[in-house]
Amino acid sequence: MAVPEVVSVVDDNICAAQTTQVISAMFLLQRCYSAGAGARLASLRRLQTTSIAYGSLVPFKLSDIGEGIAEVQVKEWHVKVGDRVNQFDNICEVQSDKAAVSITSRYDGVIKKLYYNVDDVAKVGQPLIDIELDEDLEGASTGDQDSQASEAPKTPAISSSTPTGASVQQNHTKKLATPAVRRIAMENKVNISHVTGSGKDGRVLKEDVMRFLGQITTAPSDTSYTPHAASTPSAKWQPSALKEDQIVPVRGYTRAMVKSMSEALKIPHFGYNDEINVDSLVILRNQLKHVGKERGVKMSYMPMFIKAASLALTKFPMLNASADEKFENIIYKASHNICIAMDTPGGLVVPNIKNCEQRSLWEIAEELNRLHEAGKRQQISRDDLIGGTFTLSNIGAIGGTYASPVIFPPQVAIGALGKIEKLPRFDRDGKVYPANLVKVSWAADHRVVDGATMARFSNLWKEYLENPMIMLSEMR
């Protein structure tokens, strides 16, 4: 702070003694200002000595990712020691017992240390990596690093809830791809713009790059969810004999299912089975195929099963419900967030499609394909895993007819669909004809749902599927 200039204007009537006193006061005031400025300068110098400057080594800590998650499993590193990263570049993929999350960098710099190997468990609040900074970070004192770890970046970053961790498209000609895929392309000297993407919206996947290099010869996999494809998953799974005992830690989705199924044992289940003739549904699906090609969405049977369930839940809201912790109140849910049990490389996972009561068949089909693709990559977001109100499990995608499904707490009902098979049945005239049939196995919480309610719900759901025109007439 500058010392104000004082112009001494001494009136002729002021005596010399008074003038001397004024000048003494001026010098005293100047010394006070100088002392204050010196203190402030010293304080500023102390702040500069604790700021993060060029060349500083900063521990990048795993910040809180919500939902009470205290630890995660490192699934994949996108960087290695010596790599240079920029803000918002993907650092690694981590897997909690609830969701997969992409961790991005908050700094520009060089990776100096990785604290964990793949499959190690990382603790929230502990360092993931050390980064040597490229430039000064003004005002970022070392004492503020912990608070910065939980702050949102000022520049829009890639959202960790994005199912495929896709990078933001810079222009209309740039191919969509994750940083990991771009790194693979760069390491193999492949121009990613020349690679045909098989993902959603033409997104370039790792498999596309491998196929471009000739390391994969198969065609892009079909992401549709079709009960007829019972032999496909089993054909990919090749069992191998173990030569010695193997210890496998319970991690990721499996840990979440252990907790859920342990809670499910407290629920008094009851079952109800039925058989549905889906001849009309097969015809409807064939009619929608050409529309699906125009929309870029392949229509399978599962969206129809989901939509029919949502319409039936509208008239039987007690099946789309949950109870409070002390089981004193039943909460009927307005939104139909229908969960789909999926078999993924990381284990069973149950994401949900939000607000099915407001979605069309095409919107449900698009969401289902997105979740199925994310499940194969173990990149289902936390938002997709929370808030489910009702569950359908398609065991027919692998095989089988009837099942005994286990309720997914805190829900009160679940259905398991068998494979669609052609079997002989009698028509009204007593003649035998080939019918397309699917079996369904329901399970419900007997504390909330009685057998008669379950049967009426199943009958309505069955009517929608056997007479799809009725289902279509009630869609909003």
Side-chain angles (χ1 to χ4, degrees):
M1 181 174 180
V3 179
E5 294 182 0
V6 180
V7 180
S8 295
V9 180
V10 183
D11 192 90
D12 293 338
N13 296 326
I14 300 178
C15 65
Q18 291 175 323
T19 303
T20 304
Q21 291 176 355
V22 171
I23 294 174
S24 299
M26 288 171 55
F27 279 114
L28 180 61
L29 180 62
Q30 185 176 9
R31 289 182 63 186
C32 291
Y33 275 119
S34 299
R40 285 189 295 274
L41 181 59
S43 175
L44 180 60
R45 285 174 178 169
R46 284 195 298 272
L47 177 62
Q48 289 176 344
T49 59
T50 59
S51 64
I52 302 176
Y54 175 81
S56 296
L57 198 63
V58 178
F60 181 96
K61 296 181 179 180
L62 177 62
S63 58
D64 185 9
I65 57 180
E67 295 296 317
I69 296 171
E71 62 183 26
V72 296
Q73 182 183 12
V74 178
K75 298 299 294 182
E76 180 183 4
W77 283 108
H78 298 309
V79 297
K80 60 182 182 295
V81 174
D83 284 355
R84 184 176 299 277
V85 295
N86 298 317
Q87 293 184 58
F88 317 125
D89 282 353
N90 275 3
I91 297 294
C92 63
E93 299 288 334
V94 298
Q95 173 73 59
S96 72
D97 57 357
K98 297 183 179 180
V101 179
S102 296
I103 304 298
T104 58
S105 175
R106 290 187 295 274
Y107 308 113
D108 298 337
V110 178
I111 306 297
K112 290 298 182 181
K113 180 180 179 180
L114 304 181
Y115 280 85
Y116 301 98
N117 297 319
V118 173
D119 291 334
D120 284 353
V121 175
K123 303 287 185 180
V124 169
Q126 297 300 314
L128 276 176
I129 57 175
D130 284 345
I131 300 181
E132 186 179 60
L133 301 187
D134 278 348
E135 57 185 19
D136 293 342
L137 298 179
E138 295 180 0
S141 64
T142 54
D144 294 334
Q145 289 177 27
D146 292 345
S147 62
Q148 288 180 352
S150 61
E151 292 179 358
K154 296 180 180 179
T155 305
I158 300 170
S159 173
S160 63
S161 63
T162 303
T164 58
S167 60
V168 178
Q169 189 174 9
Q170 299 295 332
N171 52 58
H172 295 294
T173 60
K174 185 176 180 180
K175 288 289 185 103
L176 290 172
T178 64
V181 173
R182 294 185 183 278
R183 189 181 74 249
I184 293 172
M186 181 182 64
E187 290 174 351
N188 290 276
K189 299 180 180 179
V190 172
N191 188 339
I192 203 165
S193 63
H194 296 162
V195 180
T196 302
S198 62
K200 182 182 176 183
D201 299 327
R203 191 181 312 282
V204 178
L205 310 177
K206 177 182 177 181
E207 293 83 354
D208 299 326
V209 178
M210 296 294 99
R211 192 176 297 108
F212 185 85
L213 293 169
Q215 298 181 16
I216 298 178
T217 57
T218 57
S221 59
D222 183 8
T223 60
S224 62
Y225 201 63
T226 307
H228 282 308
S231 61
T232 303
S234 58
K236 294 180 180 179
W237 183 70
Q238 298 294 333
S240 58
L242 292 177
K243 297 181 179 179
E244 58 183 14
D245 293 349
Q246 190 176 45
I247 299 175
V248 179
V250 178
R251 297 281 188 269
Y253 296 145
T254 303
R255 178 179 292 188
M257 293 310 299
V258 167
K259 295 179 181 178
S260 297
M261 294 301 97
S262 296
E263 289 297 316
L265 288 177
K266 303 175 184 178
I267 299 175
H269 287 59
F270 80 91
Y272 179 86
N273 302 328
D274 205 353
E275 177 182 275
I276 299 95
N277 185 318
V278 292
D279 285 344
S280 298
L281 207 64
V282 172
I283 295 172
L284 174 62
R285 180 174 178 267
N286 290 333
Q287 292 173 341
L288 293 176
K289 280 185 177 180
H290 72 281
V291 181
K293 290 181 180 179
E294 295 176 358
R295 291 173 173 262
V297 179
K298 185 175 181 179
M299 177 63 68
S300 64
Y301 293 102
M302 200 61 191
M304 301 179 187
F305 293 142
I306 294 171
K307 189 62 183 179
S310 178
L311 291 173
L313 289 172
T314 302
K315 298 183 179 180
F316 292 91
M318 63 286 298
L319 273 77
N320 192 63
S322 64
D324 58 19
E325 292 184 1
K326 296 183 179 180
F327 218 90
E328 296 176 344
N329 301 285
I330 307 298
I331 303 100
Y332 291 176
K333 303 290 186 177
S335 299
H336 299 169
N337 300 340
I338 297 183
C339 298
I340 306 299
M342 290 184 175
D343 180 29
T344 72
L348 179 64
V349 61
V350 191
N352 65 82
I353 300 174
K354 300 289 194 296
N355 301 311
C356 290
E357 79 283 359
Q358 301 176 17
R359 294 181 183 268
S360 68
L361 277 175
W362 297 108
E363 291 170 337
I364 292 175
E366 188 173 5
E367 274 292 282
L368 186 63
N369 290 337
R370 178 185 69 81
L371 291 174
H372 195 238
E373 189 66 26
K376 291 193 297 185
R377 292 176 175 76
Q378 300 185 60
Q379 292 181 337
I380 294 178
S381 70
R382 186 168 60 254
D383 290 339
D384 290 326
L385 292 170
I386 61 176
T389 60
F390 184 87
T391 299
L392 289 176
S393 175
N394 185 16
I395 62 169
I398 299 175
T401 52
Y402 291 108
S404 298
V406 179
I407 297 170
F408 189 50
Q411 300 170 26
V412 299
I414 183 175
L417 305 171
K419 63 182 179 181
I420 297 178
E421 52 187 354
K422 188 166 288 188
L423 297 171
R425 289 296 182 269
F426 292 97
D427 60 16
R428 294 180 179 179
D429 298 327
K431 296 180 180 179
V432 177
Y433 75 101
N436 291 289
L437 303 174
V438 62
K439 312 294 195 304
V440 61
S441 304
W442 300 107
D445 186 339
H446 218 330
R447 298 170 298 179
V448 180
V449 183
D450 56 39
T453 301
M454 187 77 256
R456 293 188 183 101
F457 167 82
S458 181
N459 289 340
L460 181 57
W461 179 76
K462 177 178 179 179
E463 183 179 10
Y464 286 141
L465 296 175
E466 292 188 340
N467 303 281
M469 293 306 297
I470 298 177
M471 177 173 65
L472 294 175
S473 68
E474 294 193 14
M475 290 185 184
R476 298 178 181 178

